Amino acid sequence: MPKLKTPLCDLLNIEYPILQAGMGGVAFGPLAAAVSEAGGLGTIAAISPTPERVEQEIILARGRTKKPICVDIGFPLRAPKDKGEVELPSLPGPIAELEAEIRAQGVEVKPADDQAMGIEDAKAKLEICFRHNVEVIACALGTPKWVVDACHERGVKTISIVGRASHAAAAIRNGTDVVVVQGTEGGGHTGDVGLITLLAEVLEFATVPVVAAGGIVTGAQIAAVLTQGAQGVWVGTRFIGSEESSVGPNYKQSLVEAKNDTTIRSLLFDGLYVRQLQNRFTEVWEGRENEMLPYPLQRIVIAPARFAAAEADLKDLQPLPAGQGSGLIRDLPPAADVLRRLIDETVTTLKSQAERVSFG
């Protein structure tokens, strides 16, 4: 393997500056362990699963690698503390249609216990991470100072995922160790500023390492953001398309079949902007966007259909969060091979550009 190292590697005690994103429903113990064992930083998604499931995945990962791992926990300030106190409206028409179509496939649609709903749940998961000596905590949907302080008291590093320069500045003020700036090209929850612009904005004032995210699926892209000043990359969609990701084969095949204009960014997933592949799950809302509910109501009412279709891996009826780089994915190799390929491509690109561009 060629050498590829930045100061971020020393900070996180990893070999390569490639961090696998904590993608809900995708990134569990097997994927995180595979990426970490190969020299990157593997991440376990801990927003939606129960605390018990999070602990199981940490134990599984620890059984497969002794290298550092990360756990991605959400700290949503806008979420209610008790879903029982939330007054739900009538089911929007598009969701009712989705549920009917899912049932027509012989799949049961049942109440879903979505755990991504409050700070108390996040606190419980954080304590589990501390018990198992998790080395890195990724903070999604906000970086409270008390989280950073609690981590630093135990020698744990924190990573903050942000979509705006102002959010990066707030996370740095709260003491975070690393900022991940995700451009609008990214899959899942994402903002509306492009990566190149957002990265430049944050690099102007950042006092901690900055990591680039959003649509990155090739080494050439990694070389570009490293040249711009990023110390590493946070890669999501490319690792969805790997053997160890926890989604079904239909989801993975959808990435291989995706075109360059297949994704859309919409509020339909949970009331916050999410980028995903277009299919029946998204098309049912066309012309009926006014029926979408604000967060967290949309997240609560769509959860039964979302989880049922995903569990059954219904290709056209499940949500398929993915970045704009999906159209560049051609195969579904093991995660370690994905990481090695990214490193090889990055080094090759850096060398070729040094030969192609004259400066002095």
Side-chain angles (χ1 to χ4, degrees):
M1 287 284 289
K3 178 181 179 180
L4 183 64
K5 185 177 182 181
T6 70
L8 177 72
C9 297
D10 292 329
L11 178 68
L12 301 180
N13 193 27
I14 56 179
E15 297 171 66
Y16 307 107
I18 297 178
L19 286 55
Q20 166 247 312
M23 302 161 285
V26 178
F28 292 119
L31 178 58
V35 173
S36 286
E37 184 64 18
L41 182 67
T43 303
I44 294 171
I47 295 181
S48 290
T50 63
E52 293 77 15
R53 173 71 184 279
V54 171
E55 186 164 34
Q56 291 172 5
E57 298 301 330
I58 293 172
I59 293 171
L60 188 156
R62 287 298 196 206
R64 299 188 183 188
T65 184
K66 302 304 179 185
K67 296 182 179 181
I69 61 171
C70 175
V71 174
D72 188 353
I73 303 176
F75 299 95
L77 298 179
R78 293 167 55 188
K81 292 183 178 180
D82 183 358
K83 284 189 294 183
E85 299 176 356
V86 178
E87 184 175 343
L88 296 178
S90 300
L91 197 66
I95 298 178
E97 289 184 22
L98 283 172
E99 290 190 356
E101 293 175 24
I102 292 168
R103 291 191 181 97
Q105 298 292 318
V107 176
E108 181 184 5
V109 179
K110 55 189 177 183
D113 184 16
D114 185 348
Q115 295 293 307
M117 298 305 299
I119 294 298
E120 294 306 313
D121 176 74
K123 287 180 178 178
K125 293 170 181 175
L126 191 61
E127 288 301 322
I128 289 170
C129 292
F130 292 156
R131 287 205 305 271
H132 290 279
N133 298 313
V134 169
E135 292 87 353
V136 184
I137 297 296
C139 301
L141 306 176
T143 305
K145 189 175 187 304
W146 66 265
V147 174
V148 177
D149 291 344
C151 288
H152 287 174
E153 287 173 5
R154 297 163 175 81
V156 177
K157 297 294 189 291
T158 59
I159 294 175
S160 301
I161 298 97
V162 303
R164 294 183 183 178
S166 59
H167 295 170
I172 292 170
R173 284 196 302 271
N174 285 345
T176 195
D177 296 290
V178 178
V179 170
V180 174
V181 295
Q182 177 166 299
T184 191
E185 303 94 330
H189 289 104
T190 193
D192 54 9
V193 182
L195 173 57
I196 296 300
T197 298
L198 181 60
L199 180 56
E201 291 174 344
V202 176
L203 284 171
E204 279 196 334
F205 61 79
T207 55
V208 301
V210 179
V211 171
I216 297 175
V217 298
T218 71
Q221 293 170 296
I222 297 174
V225 295
L226 290 178
T227 301
Q228 189 176 345
Q231 289 200 27
V233 289
W234 176 260
V235 178
T237 304
R238 176 61 271 197
F239 282 113
I240 298 177
S242 68
E243 288 184 4
E244 293 88 350
S245 78
S246 296
V247 300
N250 285 332
Y251 189 158
K252 295 179 184 181
Q253 187 60 32
S254 294
L255 295 176
V256 175
E257 296 172 359
K259 306 301 181 184
N260 295 331
D261 58 354
T262 301
T263 68
I264 62 167
R265 180 173 166 269
S266 168
L267 296 168
L268 67 90
F269 184 86
D270 63 359
L272 302 174
Y273 279 105
V274 167
R275 184 174 298 283
Q276 55 195 309
L277 298 178
Q278 297 179 71
N279 61 358
R280 177 59 180 165
F281 186 84
T282 64
E283 291 169 357
V284 72
W285 293 93
E286 291 180 3
R288 303 163 73 179
E289 291 84 359
N290 63 315
E291 296 187 54
M292 293 181 190
L293 302 172
Y295 177 88
L297 296 180
Q298 180 80 2
R299 185 179 186 101
I300 295 172
V301 298
I302 205 170
R306 179 162 67 90
F307 284 113
E311 185 176 351
D313 194 27
L314 302 179
K315 188 172 185 180
D316 205 41
L317 292 170
Q318 67 175 306
L320 302 170
Q324 288 184 322
S326 301
L328 297 170
I329 295 175
R330 307 281 187 260
D331 56 5
L332 305 168
D337 288 352
V338 170
L339 187 134
R340 284 190 285 266
R341 184 187 302 173
L342 291 176
I343 295 165
D344 287 340
E345 291 174 354
T346 301
V347 172
T348 297
T349 301
L350 290 171
K351 289 180 177 178
S352 67
Q353 295 311 304
E355 297 170 355
R356 185 179 68 86
V357 180
S358 298
F359 55 89

